[in-house]
Amino acid sequence: MSLEALDAVPWDRLESVPRHPVEEVPRALRRPALAGGAATEEYCYPLYSCLIAGNGRVPSAATAALPFVVALAADPEAGARVDLVGLLVAFAHATRTARPDLVDAGWPAAWRRHRGAVLALLADPDPDVRREAIPLADAVVPLLERWRAETDPAVRLPVLLRLGRVAAEAAQADARSVEEVRAVLDGVLRDGEPVMKVAAVIAWERLDPQEPVRWIDLLVETLSDLAVRPRFEEIWYVVGVEEPWSREAVVTWAAELFDHDARTAASFVVRPADAAARTGDTELSGAVLDEAWRLLVLRPSAAPALLPVAGRLLDDPADPVRLRAAHLLAVLGRQSARYADRLDDPGKDPCLEGTVGDYARWALTRIGDPRALSGLVERLYEPYREHYGRGYCAATRDFRTSTPCWSRCGRMPTSCCPTCGR
């Protein structure tokens, strides 16, 4: 990056994000340029603050800064390149979603001038840079080119996911390219490795919501296979997330594919639960119970299918699984009366408050069982000794774009989320 060119920009005539003087922009660009390979993620924070507006505006300072950000991101000797590419992705997203009158008039021409250098990041020698640059491919053709050239499975998988999304958006305007994407997905489902096949099914959903229903056997078999489980954490990356997804997180993503189909949604909970019981896969059992809870909220009519699953998992050797099973049975109310008899179970979950017995007692109160009365007042009061409540719910984020985390009432302990550690 040329510092002389940076100094030659008439910054005082430009506009930056409100509450950030435009003079901060050249300083924010100069700092990572001078740091070279020693630059870290923190060096990019001021650039986000100065150039990415929360009000949807793309200021003129962003247009002026674009060539310098592109130069830094493309420099193999620079540090924090992944974060600089992330800034370019944020620029692209802002211009796609902002009202036209809020985008600086010079931005479209500046982006066209640098589009070649931006797309070249898709072929960068650093796989982390290539992966982060995937959203910069705003059409099917460059994504198909990347798919054909890419050899790293941890980059191919997010390219495949992105292909499904972009092809769905281009279905009317570029029918030929969309057919090529369909051929790619069919080829992966025919010849790909198991984890990549799961990604292909998820990508297909964007083009045809019924396609995952036709591949439910493959999804259940792959997600229930203990031998395949480690592979998810080797290659299942999504853009913008540093760590790979766990198999359990992918279970959540896959379950959402069936929200439009009640019978298949229930089957996708019951069948993996049966497989987990046969193999002793407690991690899968816990993930299935979380999906059972989400399904019950969406479709209370699924209760008869979920009741035996939760009842059987009350005997699981893993404390967190039993706790979730007791919680689900409590929500099911009188239907679960024959199961709610675990008042002395001391099992706990490291991320949640209370014991299996506490949830069992709650279940008894919901069905009017007098066994819940003994010590009830003391148990109700206990959480407030430390000013937090015993309750939890699964996150409601869009799992197509972010990792799952736990959201709880009260305090949040560290390393609560099994996927991202937050």
Side-chain angles (χ1 to χ4, degrees):
M1 191 186 87
S2 169
L3 295 179
E4 291 78 8
L6 180 68
D7 293 336
V9 174
W11 296 103
D12 57 333
R13 303 179 193 173
L14 303 177
E15 174 194 24
S16 60
V17 169
R19 296 185 298 279
H20 289 275
V22 73
E23 294 79 10
E24 294 182 15
V25 177
R27 288 199 296 268
L29 287 167
R30 182 181 295 273
R31 189 177 177 216
L34 293 175
T40 62
E41 176 183 357
E42 289 75 12
Y43 283 62
C44 300
Y45 294 165
L47 289 171
Y48 279 90
S49 300
C50 295
L51 301 175
I52 302 296
N55 61 1
R57 181 178 294 278
V58 178
S60 55
T63 302
L66 177 61
F68 303 106
V69 176
V70 171
L72 284 170
D75 183 357
E77 302 300 322
R81 295 182 63 215
V82 170
D83 303 288
L84 290 163
V85 173
L87 180 59
L88 293 173
V89 172
F91 282 157
H93 176 75
T95 54
R96 283 196 302 268
T97 57
R99 293 202 327 256
D101 60 304
L102 296 179
V103 178
D104 176 57
W107 176 269
W111 186 260
R112 285 194 298 271
R113 283 197 302 273
H114 296 284
R115 186 172 183 270
V118 167
L119 291 180
L121 293 168
L122 289 163
D124 193 89
D126 186 337
D128 292 336
V129 170
R130 297 200 302 274
R131 183 166 56 240
E132 193 71 15
I134 289 171
L136 297 173
D138 54 0
V140 173
V141 172
L143 279 172
L144 284 171
E145 292 174 353
R146 182 72 251 145
W147 170 259
R148 295 177 185 123
E150 185 59 60
T151 58
D152 188 331
V155 181
R156 282 174 67 81
L157 190 144
V159 168
L160 191 67
L161 294 174
R162 182 74 177 176
L163 271 171
R165 178 176 181 176
V166 175
E169 294 170 352
Q172 300 299 322
D174 191 0
R176 180 176 178 180
S177 295
V178 172
E179 285 306 311
E180 290 187 59
V181 173
R182 292 174 181 269
V184 166
L185 297 177
D186 285 338
V188 173
L189 286 168
R190 183 180 61 251
D191 303 319
E193 65 170 288
V195 173
M196 201 68 77
K197 288 182 178 181
V198 173
V201 173
I202 291 175
W204 253 118
E205 186 267 343
R206 293 283 190 165
L207 293 163
D208 181 0
Q210 284 302 117
E211 194 69 19
V213 176
R214 292 188 277 271
W215 290 97
I216 186 172
D217 292 345
L218 180 147
L219 290 174
V220 171
E221 178 182 349
T222 304
L223 292 167
S224 303
D225 191 337
L226 280 170
V228 175
R229 181 178 180 240
R231 185 61 170 164
F232 284 92
E233 296 192 13
E234 293 174 358
I235 70 171
W236 197 289
Y237 284 85
V238 295
V239 176
V241 180
E242 184 177 354
E243 299 297 325
W245 282 36
S246 68
R247 185 271 311 261
E248 292 71 41
V250 178
V251 167
T252 296
W253 194 343
E256 293 184 344
L257 302 175
F258 307 115
D259 285 350
H260 67 289
D261 187 320
R263 178 175 297 180
T264 307
S267 177
F268 189 73
V269 170
V270 174
R271 291 176 59 187
D274 292 341
R278 290 192 300 270
T279 61
D281 190 345
T282 57
E283 288 81 5
L284 180 58
S285 295
V288 165
L289 282 171
D290 287 335
E291 293 316 305
W293 164 252
R294 193 181 70 87
L295 178 59
L296 185 64
V297 171
L298 293 175
R299 298 183 180 276
S301 61
L306 303 179
L307 180 64
V309 173
R312 183 174 66 249
L313 289 175
L314 273 178
D315 294 319
D316 194 274
D319 291 359
V321 174
R322 297 199 309 279
L323 187 146
R324 284 165 169 76
H327 179 265
L328 184 61
L329 290 168
V331 174
L332 289 170
R334 293 189 178 277
Q335 301 173 75
S336 59
R338 64 183 183 274
Y339 297 109
D341 190 16
R342 302 300 175 97
L343 299 181
D344 298 322
D345 190 330
K348 294 183 178 181
D349 184 288
C351 292
L352 306 174
E353 312 300 344
T355 67
V356 179
D358 292 333
Y359 284 94
R361 190 175 299 274
W362 176 41
L364 292 177
T365 65
R366 288 177 56 80
I367 63 178
D369 193 311
R371 289 176 294 175
L373 295 175
S374 177
L376 179 60
V377 172
E378 290 79 6
R379 286 176 177 267
L380 290 174
Y381 177 72
E382 183 63 28
Y384 297 97
R385 296 182 190 277
E386 298 185 29
H387 307 290
Y388 58 86
R390 286 179 180 166
Y392 80 96
C393 64
T396 56
R397 296 184 182 183
D398 182 350
F399 290 99
R400 295 174 177 82
T401 58
S402 63
T403 58
C405 292
W406 288 101
S407 172
R408 303 186 315 142
C409 302
R411 67 181 184 180
M412 175 72 76
T414 59
S415 300
C416 186
C417 173
T419 300
C420 70
R422 291 193 294 270

